[in-house]
Amino acid sequence: MNTLYEILDSLRIVQARLEDALKTPARPWQGGAALRGGAALKDRSMLLYGPRGVGKTTFLVREAKARGAVYLSMDHPALANLSVYTVAEALFQRGVMQVCLDEIHYATHWSEDLKALYDAWPDRSIWASGSDSLLLSSGIGDLSRRYIGIAMPFLSFREFLVLKGYPDFGVHDPFSTDTTWVSSVMAAGNILRLFETYLVSGLRPLFMEGEDRYATRILQVVQKTLEADIPRIVQTVAQNHFSLMNAVLGYLSQTNIPVVQVNSLCREWNVGKEKLYALLQAMEQTGLIRIVRKPSDHAARSIGAKLFLADPSLYPALSGKEGNAREAFVACAFSSARHRVYAAQDEQEGDFLVDDSFLIEIGGSRKPRKKANFVIRDGADYPVPGVIPLWMMGFGW
């Protein structure tokens, strides 16, 4: 049987391979810039979470290389019977100053171990990441005085362009009508066509492995999330529950009215309401669906006013409705830019209420504003007062 240090030495070789395979340019993620700068966030301890496939592993590997840290993925079979504390302490005893622990939720008692490591090694840095935001959020509750939780969102259109070799035009407020900035972006290439490509195959950096394989890869990510992450949140997930969740995803991609009927689903799939609500909540927390509620909806168990696929690029992968994909992207964009998004109280007046301040209507290139403050139009190129081109929403984060 290999000793702990032999295992760690073999995993350093794995890290070297991962570092050698890093692609350029790097994702210009603003959260990453804040961590590197250390001004806005604590540098010593961090929990990074977000949906599968958004680039958490690549970020940790890149940062480990830059900082001379040790990167380990806690789902590696060689670490299956070892605690986080045992592994990190062995590295610290060998003089390692920082560890980056990926897929932390695969380790047992990870929250307790991270807390103990923080207290026992005050001069060392510990970064951890995981796909399961509900587990990490609960862990952050226990570790709030020691670790800061950072959510990595889906790729913005700005980041997509950078990864495709275009300049970084910076984060831009979509409510601004800065025509100089818009002209500089439009001059860089066929932005509307690039934006169409982004919506189909650019919300996760999987496109760097080949845009023609994006739909297949993203559906694989969805199944991995259902099969590996959901059972860690919801106890006793049966086979019919997986079928139910797949049916919900398929239904939301195709329906004209993005909401589910609780009683109908419970009867059809023979599940109780509490189980259905638990499954939907887990799907929301793991980045599969986005539940948009009305401002007055504070219920712990709620299906909200509208349900969308959280990743807008899932709609074309499932041959879904274009109108729902538009609304899903706007909800995704505002949420990623840390705005609060609600369903409008009256759909005859608008689609979304943003930050309790702006009423938003969403549609095609000729969509009227109704009674909204702004209409977001797909296919529009330049903004005018009260009208925001959909592509500009992709520069908000």
Side-chain angles (χ1 to χ4, degrees):
M1 180 180 295
N2 291 334
T3 67
L4 173 58
Y5 289 118
E6 288 173 333
I7 292 172
L8 294 176
D9 287 341
S10 69
L11 293 179
R12 290 301 295 267
I13 298 173
V14 174
Q15 178 179 346
R17 293 196 195 103
L18 291 171
E19 291 177 350
D20 190 57
L22 288 170
K23 293 180 173 62
T24 55
R27 176 183 181 180
W29 177 48
Q30 294 297 302
L35 283 166
R36 283 189 289 275
L41 301 171
K42 292 179 182 177
D43 222 13
R44 184 190 162 201
S45 55
M46 181 267 291
L47 285 172
L48 176 67
Y49 59 93
R52 286 183 176 273
V54 295
K56 299 183 301 298
T57 293
T58 299
F59 175 79
L60 281 188
V61 172
R62 196 180 297 277
E63 289 299 306
K65 180 179 182 180
R67 294 166 174 264
V70 171
Y71 166 88
L72 294 171
S73 182
M74 297 309 298
D75 65 346
H76 195 283
L79 301 175
N81 297 315
L82 298 171
S83 71
V84 170
Y85 191 94
T86 298
V87 171
E89 183 177 53
L91 291 168
F92 291 156
Q93 288 174 343
R94 297 178 93 181
V96 172
M97 298 304 295
Q98 178 173 357
V99 292
C100 296
L101 307 173
D102 202 6
E103 302 285 9
I104 191 70
H105 57 277
Y106 277 91
T108 57
H109 309 299
W110 63 268
S111 180
E112 295 91 334
D113 284 353
L114 289 183
K115 185 188 301 182
L117 285 167
Y118 182 96
D119 294 338
W121 296 89
D123 62 335
R124 308 301 163 93
S125 178
I126 307 155
W127 286 11
S129 78
S131 301
D132 187 339
S133 61
L134 183 60
L135 276 181
L136 286 171
S137 295
S138 64
I140 291 167
D142 295 335
L143 300 170
S144 58
R145 290 191 302 108
R146 298 170 175 84
Y147 289 79
I148 288 182
I150 306 296
M152 178 178 278
F154 296 112
L155 280 177
S156 65
F157 184 39
R158 174 186 70 87
E159 293 171 309
F160 169 79
L161 289 175
V162 171
L163 294 179
K164 295 284 284 185
Y166 290 86
D168 187 348
F169 293 101
V171 174
H172 188 78
D173 180 4
F175 295 112
S176 168
T177 55
D178 182 354
T179 55
T180 301
W181 178 87
V182 172
S183 296
S184 67
V185 176
M186 295 294 289
N190 191 330
I191 290 301
L192 294 183
R193 182 170 296 175
L194 286 165
F195 184 65
E196 290 177 2
T197 301
Y198 161 73
L199 289 181
V200 171
S201 59
L203 272 290
R204 307 187 202 222
L206 301 172
F207 71 86
M208 300 179 75
E209 302 171 13
E211 290 181 5
D212 57 330
R213 299 178 55 218
Y214 185 90
T216 300
R217 292 282 286 111
I218 196 174
L219 293 176
Q220 290 172 342
V221 168
V222 167
Q223 290 309 307
K224 183 69 178 292
T225 302
L226 289 173
E227 296 167 7
D229 294 342
I230 299 293
R232 293 179 175 272
I233 304 172
V234 182
Q235 295 182 345
T236 61
V237 179
Q239 187 57 48
N240 70 310
H241 297 150
F242 292 117
S243 301
L244 164 61
M245 289 186 287
N246 272 306
V248 167
L249 295 175
Y251 174 78
L252 291 179
S253 73
Q254 302 295 331
T255 183
N256 291 319
I257 303 175
V259 70
V260 296
Q261 300 298 323
V262 172
N263 291 334
S264 176
L265 281 174
C266 289
R267 286 194 304 270
E268 183 177 353
W269 295 96
N270 192 29
V271 298
K273 287 186 179 180
E274 285 300 308
K275 176 65 74 173
L276 176 61
Y277 284 128
L279 292 171
L280 292 175
Q281 184 182 43
M283 292 175 73
E284 180 182 32
Q285 295 292 339
T286 52
L288 291 178
I289 64 174
R290 188 180 308 279
I291 301 176
V292 180
R293 299 164 173 84
K294 291 190 175 181
S296 57
D297 184 357
H298 304 295
R301 298 294 193 188
S302 171
I303 59 167
K306 293 183 176 182
L307 277 77
F308 299 103
L309 304 179
D311 180 349
S313 64
L314 265 178
Y315 285 92
L318 295 171
S319 301
K321 298 283 186 181
E322 184 179 8
N324 286 347
R326 287 193 199 108
E327 289 196 41
F329 174 68
V330 172
C332 173
F334 277 128
S335 297
S336 298
R338 300 189 178 185
H339 292 282
R340 298 184 306 277
V341 183
Y342 305 101
Q345 291 286 6
D346 185 349
E347 287 197 9
Q348 298 304 312
E349 297 182 352
D351 291 313
F352 294 142
L353 179 66
V354 179
D355 292 336
D356 296 317
S357 301
F358 301 110
L359 193 60
I360 303 295
E361 179 68 11
I362 304 154
S365 60
R366 298 181 181 275
K367 185 72 173 181
R369 195 195 303 186
K370 295 183 180 178
K371 295 184 179 180
N373 301 102
F374 297 90
V375 57
I376 299 175
R377 289 178 178 166
D378 190 9
D381 48 6
Y382 280 82
V384 295
V387 178
I388 301 172
L390 186 63
W391 68 265
M392 284 182 61
M393 296 299 304
F395 284 85
W397 73 103

